[in-house]
Amino acid sequence: IGEFTFAPEHQAAVNRQRRIFFQYDPCADIQQRGGFGSDMDALMGYVFDFADMPGSQLDAICIDVSNEGLAHYRSKILPACQHPGLMQWREQGIDYFDELIRQGHKRGKEIWWGLRMNEIERGDLAVYDIKAFAEMKKRNPVKAAHPDWLIRSWWWQGFWNYAVKEVRDYRLSIVREVAEQYDFDGVHLDYLRHTPHLPPGKQWENREHLTGFMRDVRSLLQSQAAKRSRPFLLAARVPDSVEGCHTDGLDIETWAREGLVDVLILGTRTINVAVASFRKAVADAPVKLIPGFDCFHATDGYHGDQS
């Protein structure tokens, strides 16, 4: 397919059972449950509580650490999140991502890493209180240094403009650092939280920039897969219709034709997803389609137990 060739082991990994692919934000736990202190086992028990429930159908868990511009993991690119628990573990040589992967694999779960292609900066939030909201007023230093890299939109700090080569290189470096250090089963690129990623009104005519980014990520993950002798999958969260994808500059037909993606996760904050149109768009390409449902931001009628 396209310029990439895939071993049978790769397609077997694509075809693994994923009854539920759970996009999960674990930084909320260390922020809201700071009382764990340095007890990593207690925190991991809390994080995986839902996966340990009898009858759980969660087969894949995507670790979505959303604090833009900060690292909860080993990083030479991003500054470290200064959460007290994380700081204690760092001093002890314990890495949060290593533990999440180890505990997930121990439970027989796929563990993915998620990158939000654009995000609102919430700052270094250790707790959710009035002081934490002051962190949101702090300028992202990279954005402050490179205003020409940004799209001026509804978020006051601006969003990354992937039509700019330097932005693509910078964001790729973040993916590379994680992929080369951690034994994740796959990388999930979230194109929905938040938009836009290309100049508004000109997204489709600039679509090749995002397609090029997908090629670069795929090439990186294939190289890493060869080094570790194990597949490294790639997923993307996209709008709930093919038309919406095109409006945002996401050429999913080319992604499927060239083998740039293994899994498309469709929609966010909705249960109305145009699955049939996606099946037609990806044609015979071996791409898995997972309709999305956001239980946290859904209407009250769907909430139930928010454990």
Side-chain angles (χ1 to χ4, degrees):
I1 302 174
E3 61 185 275
F4 295 98
T5 58
F6 301 97
E9 293 80 9
H10 182 98
Q11 198 55 46
V14 174
N15 289 331
R16 278 196 290 254
Q17 176 177 258
R18 296 179 193 88
R19 290 165 295 179
I20 297 176
F21 180 108
F22 187 41
Q23 185 174 355
Y24 179 56
D25 180 359
C27 72
D29 291 321
I30 61 170
Q31 290 163 355
Q32 297 185 45
R33 309 274 297 193
F36 284 113
S38 59
D39 191 343
M40 179 67 80
D41 288 339
L43 176 58
M44 289 297 117
Y46 174 78
V47 168
F48 288 101
D49 175 67
F50 55 85
D52 292 336
M53 291 179 180
S56 170
Q57 296 185 31
L58 299 174
D59 296 316
I61 301 168
C62 178
I63 306 304
D64 178 11
V65 177
S66 61
N67 275 14
E68 177 74 8
L70 296 169
H72 292 64
Y73 54 90
R74 296 183 296 268
S75 179
K76 295 181 180 178
I77 298 172
L78 301 177
C81 177
Q82 298 302 303
H83 182 277
L86 284 173
M87 294 168 71
Q88 279 186 286
W89 296 326
R90 286 190 207 109
E91 293 172 359
Q92 299 169 21
I94 299 173
D95 185 272
Y96 184 45
F97 272 15
D98 282 335
E99 286 299 306
L100 285 166
I101 295 168
R102 185 179 69 84
Q103 293 280 354
H105 285 172
K106 179 180 177 181
R107 290 166 166 81
K109 311 296 182 183
E110 278 188 343
I111 303 296
W112 295 59
W113 172 67
L115 176 69
R116 298 183 182 185
M117 296 292 284
N118 262 307
E119 174 64 302
I120 60 172
E121 288 85 354
R122 296 186 299 160
D124 201 346
L125 306 186
V127 292
Y128 287 108
D129 59 18
I130 193 64
K131 294 179 181 178
F133 285 104
E135 292 283 335
M136 295 180 70
K137 298 180 180 180
K138 291 185 178 179
R139 196 81 167 91
N140 181 315
V142 179
K143 289 183 176 181
H146 301 282
D148 53 319
W149 290 10
L150 305 178
I151 295 169
R152 294 298 175 185
S153 186
W154 59 270
W155 176 236
W156 72 274
Q157 298 224 32
F159 287 135
W160 302 117
N161 180 0
Y162 285 84
V164 177
K165 182 181 184 301
E166 290 80 2
V167 169
R168 299 194 300 275
D169 291 344
Y170 170 63
R171 302 291 280 171
L172 184 66
S173 72
I174 294 173
V175 179
R176 179 181 295 109
E177 183 179 55
V178 169
E180 291 181 349
Q181 290 192 89
Y182 297 100
D183 193 31
F184 285 108
D185 294 285
V187 166
H188 171 228
L189 302 179
D190 188 341
Y191 283 96
L192 293 188
R193 191 90 177 261
H194 298 272
T195 61
H197 311 294
L198 295 167
K202 299 181 179 179
Q203 289 100 315
W204 185 243
E205 64 188 77
N206 281 286
R207 63 190 180 276
E208 180 56 31
H209 297 303
L210 290 180
T211 300
F213 185 80
M214 293 295 290
R215 290 192 191 103
D216 290 341
V217 174
R218 174 63 102 185
S219 180
L220 162 66
L221 297 185
Q222 284 294 92
S223 176
Q224 191 60 24
K227 292 178 182 177
R228 72 181 193 178
S229 299
R230 191 166 80 84
F232 213 138
L233 303 185
L234 180 57
R237 179 180 285 270
V238 299
D240 56 14
S241 69
V242 173
E243 180 183 11
C245 292
H246 292 178
T247 298
D248 284 345
L250 310 180
D251 187 358
I252 60 168
E253 293 91 339
T254 297
W255 296 6
R257 186 173 63 251
E258 294 190 8
L260 305 184
V261 68
D262 298 304
V263 179
L264 289 176
I265 301 179
L266 316 177
T268 188
R269 302 186 185 183
T270 181
I271 58 174
N272 298 311
V273 180
V275 177
S277 66
F278 280 98
R279 285 180 175 150
K280 182 178 180 180
V282 303
D284 296 327
V287 177
K288 294 295 181 182
L289 303 178
I290 303 180
F293 174 68
D294 188 336
C295 66
F296 186 77
H297 296 101
T299 60
D300 289 345
Y302 287 105
H303 271 190
D305 176 22
Q306 285 287 326
S307 64

